[in-house]
PDB file of all heavy atoms in Angstrom:
ATOM      1  N   LYS A 454     -21.553  21.373  28.729  1.00 97.00           N
ATOM      2  CA  LYS A 454     -22.199  22.452  28.058  1.00 97.00           C
ATOM      3  C   LYS A 454     -21.205  23.502  27.555  1.00 97.00           C
ATOM      4  O   LYS A 454     -20.221  23.754  28.214  1.00 97.00           O
ATOM      5  CB  LYS A 454     -23.250  23.162  28.953  1.00 97.00           C
ATOM      6  CG  LYS A 454     -24.297  22.206  29.518  1.00 97.00           C
ATOM      7  CD  LYS A 454     -25.178  21.577  28.489  1.00 97.00           C
ATOM      8  CE  LYS A 454     -26.362  20.802  29.035  1.00 97.00           C
ATOM      9  NZ  LYS A 454     -25.919  19.526  29.682  1.00 97.00           N
ATOM     10  N   TRP A 455     -21.498  24.070  26.384  1.00 98.00           N
ATOM     11  CA  TRP A 455     -20.706  25.173  25.838  1.00 98.00           C
ATOM     12  C   TRP A 455     -19.233  24.857  25.701  1.00 98.00           C
ATOM     13  O   TRP A 455     -18.375  25.739  25.965  1.00 98.00           O
ATOM     14  CB  TRP A 455     -20.933  26.465  26.638  1.00 98.00           C
ATOM     15  CG  TRP A 455     -22.362  26.808  26.820  1.00 98.00           C
ATOM     16  CD1 TRP A 455     -23.100  26.710  27.925  1.00 98.00           C
ATOM     17  CD2 TRP A 455     -23.269  27.250  25.755  1.00 98.00           C
ATOM     18  NE1 TRP A 455     -24.398  27.081  27.699  1.00 98.00           N
ATOM     19  CE2 TRP A 455     -24.531  27.413  26.363  1.00 98.00           C
ATOM     20  CE3 TRP A 455     -23.111  27.557  24.394  1.00 98.00           C
ATOM     21  CZ2 TRP A 455     -25.644  27.857  25.644  1.00 98.00           C
ATOM     22  CZ3 TRP A 455     -24.205  27.974  23.703  1.00 98.00           C
ATOM     23  CH2 TRP A 455     -25.450  28.142  24.319  1.00 98.00           C
ATOM     24  N   SER A 456     -18.940  23.609  25.331  1.00 97.00           N
ATOM     25  CA  SER A 456     -17.536  23.207  25.172  1.00 97.00           C
ATOM     26  C   SER A 456     -17.289  22.491  23.874  1.00 97.00           C
ATOM     27  O   SER A 456     -16.211  21.948  23.634  1.00 97.00           O
ATOM     28  CB  SER A 456     -17.142  22.276  26.345  1.00 97.00           C
ATOM     29  OG  SER A 456     -17.865  21.088  26.244  1.00 97.00           O
ATOM     30  N   GLY A 457     -18.315  22.478  22.973  1.00 97.00           N
ATOM     31  CA  GLY A 457     -18.159  21.758  21.718  1.00 97.00           C
ATOM     32  C   GLY A 457     -18.558  20.288  21.850  1.00 97.00           C
ATOM     33  O   GLY A 457     -18.352  19.529  20.927  1.00 97.00           O
ATOM     34  N   ALA A 458     -19.131  19.877  22.950  1.00 98.00           N
ATOM     35  CA  ALA A 458     -19.497  18.490  23.172  1.00 98.00           C
ATOM     36  C   ALA A 458     -20.598  18.101  22.222  1.00 98.00           C
ATOM     37  O   ALA A 458     -21.480  18.879  21.881  1.00 98.00           O
ATOM     38  CB  ALA A 458     -19.956  18.271  24.607  1.00 98.00           C
ATOM     39  N   THR A 459     -20.543  16.837  21.772  1.00 98.00           N
ATOM     40  CA  THR A 459     -21.406  16.381  20.659  1.00 98.00           C
ATOM     41  C   THR A 459     -22.094  15.048  20.996  1.00 98.00           C
ATOM     42  O   THR A 459     -21.430  14.122  21.516  1.00 98.00           O
ATOM     43  CB  THR A 459     -20.606  16.207  19.376  1.00 98.00           C
ATOM     44  OG1 THR A 459     -19.992  17.457  19.033  1.00 98.00           O
ATOM     45  CG2 THR A 459     -21.516  15.765  18.221  1.00 98.00           C
ATOM     46  N   TYR A 460     -23.385  14.954  20.651  1.00 98.00           N
ATOM     47  CA  TYR A 460     -24.152  13.698  20.731  1.00 98.00           C
ATOM     48  C   TYR A 460     -24.450  13.267  19.300  1.00 98.00           C
ATOM     49  O   TYR A 460     -24.967  14.073  18.510  1.00 98.00           O
ATOM     50  CB  TYR A 460     -25.461  13.952  21.507  1.00 98.00           C
ATOM     51  CG  TYR A 460     -26.491  12.857  21.379  1.00 98.00           C
ATOM     52  CD1 TYR A 460     -26.560  11.852  22.323  1.00 98.00           C
ATOM     53  CD2 TYR A 460     -27.444  12.883  20.361  1.00 98.00           C
ATOM     54  CE1 TYR A 460     -27.524  10.828  22.238  1.00 98.00           C
ATOM     55  CE2 TYR A 460     -28.397  11.876  20.252  1.00 98.00           C
ATOM     56  CZ  TYR A 460     -28.441  10.862  21.189  1.00 98.00           C
ATOM     57  OH  TYR A 460     -29.392   9.885  21.093  1.00 98.00           O
ATOM     58  N   VAL A 461     -24.079  12.029  18.981  1.00 98.00           N
ATOM     59  CA  VAL A 461     -24.361  11.488  17.625  1.00 98.00           C
ATOM     60  C   VAL A 461     -25.149  10.226  17.788  1.00 98.00           C
ATOM     61  O   VAL A 461     -24.765   9.315  18.524  1.00 98.00           O
ATOM     62  CB  VAL A 461     -23.014  11.172  16.874  1.00 98.00           C
ATOM     63  CG1 VAL A 461     -23.352  10.565  15.525  1.00 98.00           C
ATOM     64  CG2 VAL A 461     -22.183  12.418  16.693  1.00 98.00           C
ATOM     65  N   THR A 462     -26.279  10.194  17.098  1.00 97.00           N
ATOM     66  CA  THR A 462     -27.119   8.950  17.125  1.00 97.00           C
ATOM     67  C   THR A 462     -27.126   8.276  15.763  1.00 97.00           C
ATOM     68  O   THR A 462     -27.158   8.950  14.740  1.00 97.00           O
ATOM     69  CB  THR A 462     -28.574   9.269  17.570  1.00 97.00           C
ATOM     70  OG1 THR A 462     -29.313   8.045  17.558  1.00 97.00           O
ATOM     71  CG2 THR A 462     -29.235  10.271  16.651  1.00 97.00           C
ATOM     72  N   LEU A 463     -27.127   6.968  15.778  1.00 97.00           N
ATOM     73  CA  LEU A 463     -27.239   6.183  14.553  1.00 97.00           C
ATOM     74  C   LEU A 463     -28.671   5.656  14.376  1.00 97.00           C
ATOM     75  O   LEU A 463     -28.956   4.963  13.415  1.00 97.00           O
ATOM     76  CB  LEU A 463     -26.261   4.985  14.642  1.00 97.00           C
ATOM     77  CG  LEU A 463     -24.805   5.385  14.456  1.00 97.00           C
ATOM     78  CD1 LEU A 463     -23.901   4.256  14.909  1.00 97.00           C
ATOM     79  CD2 LEU A 463     -24.496   5.739  12.989  1.00 97.00           C
ATOM     80  N   VAL A 464     -29.559   6.001  15.290  1.00 93.00           N
ATOM     81  CA  VAL A 464     -30.945   5.546  15.245  1.00 93.00           C
ATOM     82  C   VAL A 464     -31.791   6.726  14.782  1.00 93.00           C
ATOM     83  O   VAL A 464     -32.114   7.624  15.587  1.00 93.00           O
ATOM     84  CB  VAL A 464     -31.443   5.023  16.582  1.00 93.00           C
ATOM     85  CG1 VAL A 464     -32.840   4.403  16.494  1.00 93.00           C
ATOM     86  CG2 VAL A 464     -30.475   3.922  17.094  1.00 93.00           C
ATOM     87  N   THR A 465     -32.126   6.812  13.491  1.00 90.00           N
ATOM     88  CA  THR A 465     -32.824   7.938  12.924  1.00 90.00           C
ATOM     89  C   THR A 465     -34.119   7.489  12.209  1.00 90.00           C
ATOM     90  O   THR A 465     -34.197   6.325  11.768  1.00 90.00           O
ATOM     91  CB  THR A 465     -31.953   8.680  11.914  1.00 90.00           C
ATOM     92  OG1 THR A 465     -31.859   7.905  10.696  1.00 90.00           O
ATOM     93  CG2 THR A 465     -30.520   8.872  12.477  1.00 90.00           C
ATOM     94  N   PRO A 466     -35.052   8.395  12.023  1.00 85.00           N
ATOM     95  CA  PRO A 466     -36.331   8.019  11.361  1.00 85.00           C
ATOM     96  C   PRO A 466     -36.294   8.252   9.865  1.00 85.00           C
ATOM     97  O   PRO A 466     -37.374   8.217   9.204  1.00 85.00           O
ATOM     98  CB  PRO A 466     -37.308   8.962  12.034  1.00 85.00           C
ATOM     99  CG  PRO A 466     -36.522  10.201  12.284  1.00 85.00           C
ATOM    100  CD  PRO A 466     -35.132   9.712  12.654  1.00 85.00           C
ATOM    101  N   PHE A 467     -35.133   8.455   9.272  1.00 84.00           N
ATOM    102  CA  PHE A 467     -35.055   8.839   7.871  1.00 84.00           C
ATOM    103  C   PHE A 467     -35.759   7.835   6.923  1.00 84.00           C
ATOM    104  O   PHE A 467     -36.663   8.210   6.166  1.00 84.00           O
ATOM    105  CB  PHE A 467     -33.583   9.033   7.454  1.00 84.00           C
ATOM    106  CG  PHE A 467     -33.394   9.315   6.001  1.00 84.00           C
ATOM    107  CD1 PHE A 467     -33.896  10.473   5.439  1.00 84.00           C
ATOM    108  CD2 PHE A 467     -32.667   8.449   5.203  1.00 84.00           C
ATOM    109  CE1 PHE A 467     -33.722  10.747   4.091  1.00 84.00           C
ATOM    110  CE2 PHE A 467     -32.500   8.701   3.841  1.00 84.00           C
ATOM    111  CZ  PHE A 467     -33.018   9.837   3.290  1.00 84.00           C
ATOM    112  N   LEU A 468     -35.350   6.573   6.956  1.00 80.00           N
ATOM    113  CA  LEU A 468     -35.946   5.603   6.078  1.00 80.00           C
ATOM    114  C   LEU A 468     -37.385   5.264   6.427  1.00 80.00           C
ATOM    115  O   LEU A 468     -38.225   5.039   5.562  1.00 80.00           O
ATOM    116  CB  LEU A 468     -35.075   4.307   6.080  1.00 80.00           C
ATOM    117  CG  LEU A 468     -33.652   4.457   5.501  1.00 80.00           C
ATOM    118  CD1 LEU A 468     -32.915   3.128   5.562  1.00 80.00           C
ATOM    119  CD2 LEU A 468     -33.705   4.953   4.068  1.00 80.00           C
ATOM    120  N   ILE A 469     -37.669   5.238   7.737  1.00 85.00           N
ATOM    121  CA  ILE A 469     -39.051   4.962   8.165  1.00 85.00           C
ATOM    122  C   ILE A 469     -39.987   6.057   7.642  1.00 85.00           C
ATOM    123  O   ILE A 469     -41.089   5.799   7.168  1.00 85.00           O
ATOM    124  CB  ILE A 469     -39.124   4.880   9.701  1.00 85.00           C
ATOM    125  CG1 ILE A 469     -38.359   3.662  10.200  1.00 85.00           C
ATOM    126  CG2 ILE A 469     -40.552   4.819  10.178  1.00 85.00           C
ATOM    127  CD1 ILE A 469     -38.276   3.563  11.704  1.00 85.00           C
ATOM    128  N   ASN A 470     -39.528   7.322   7.732  1.00 80.00           N
ATOM    129  CA  ASN A 470     -40.367   8.427   7.237  1.00 80.00           C
ATOM    130  C   ASN A 470     -40.682   8.279   5.761  1.00 80.00           C
ATOM    131  O   ASN A 470     -41.799   8.521   5.327  1.00 80.00           O
ATOM    132  CB  ASN A 470     -39.665   9.785   7.474  1.00 80.00           C
ATOM    133  CG  ASN A 470     -39.777  10.219   8.912  1.00 80.00           C
ATOM    134  OD1 ASN A 470     -40.564   9.726   9.721  1.00 80.00           O
ATOM    135  ND2 ASN A 470     -38.917  11.179   9.298  1.00 80.00           N
ATOM    136  N   MET A 471     -39.677   7.883   4.967  1.00 85.00           N
ATOM    137  CA  MET A 471     -39.882   7.730   3.540  1.00 85.00           C
ATOM    138  C   MET A 471     -40.782   6.541   3.229  1.00 85.00           C
ATOM    139  O   MET A 471     -41.579   6.622   2.301  1.00 85.00           O
ATOM    140  CB  MET A 471     -38.547   7.661   2.825  1.00 85.00           C
ATOM    141  CG  MET A 471     -37.735   8.948   2.912  1.00 85.00           C
ATOM    142  SD  MET A 471     -36.215   8.939   1.964  1.00 85.00           S
ATOM    143  CE  MET A 471     -36.846   9.088   0.304  1.00 85.00           C
ATOM    144  N   ASP A 472     -40.636   5.467   3.976  1.00 85.00           N
ATOM    145  CA  ASP A 472     -41.514   4.313   3.804  1.00 85.00           C
ATOM    146  C   ASP A 472     -42.974   4.681   4.115  1.00 85.00           C
ATOM    147  O   ASP A 472     -43.921   4.272   3.454  1.00 85.00           O
ATOM    148  CB  ASP A 472     -41.085   3.138   4.690  1.00 85.00           C
ATOM    149  CG  ASP A 472     -39.823   2.440   4.164  1.00 85.00           C
ATOM    150  OD1 ASP A 472     -39.539   2.569   2.981  1.00 85.00           O
ATOM    151  OD2 ASP A 472     -39.176   1.742   4.955  1.00 85.00           O
TER     152      ASP A 472
END
Side-chain angles (χ1 to χ4, degrees):
K454 304 296 188 289
W455 307 108
S456 65
T459 302
Y460 166 93
V461 177
T462 179
L463 288 163
V464 185
T465 75
F467 175 63
L468 294 179
I469 293 175
N470 282 345
M471 294 185 72
D472 285 340

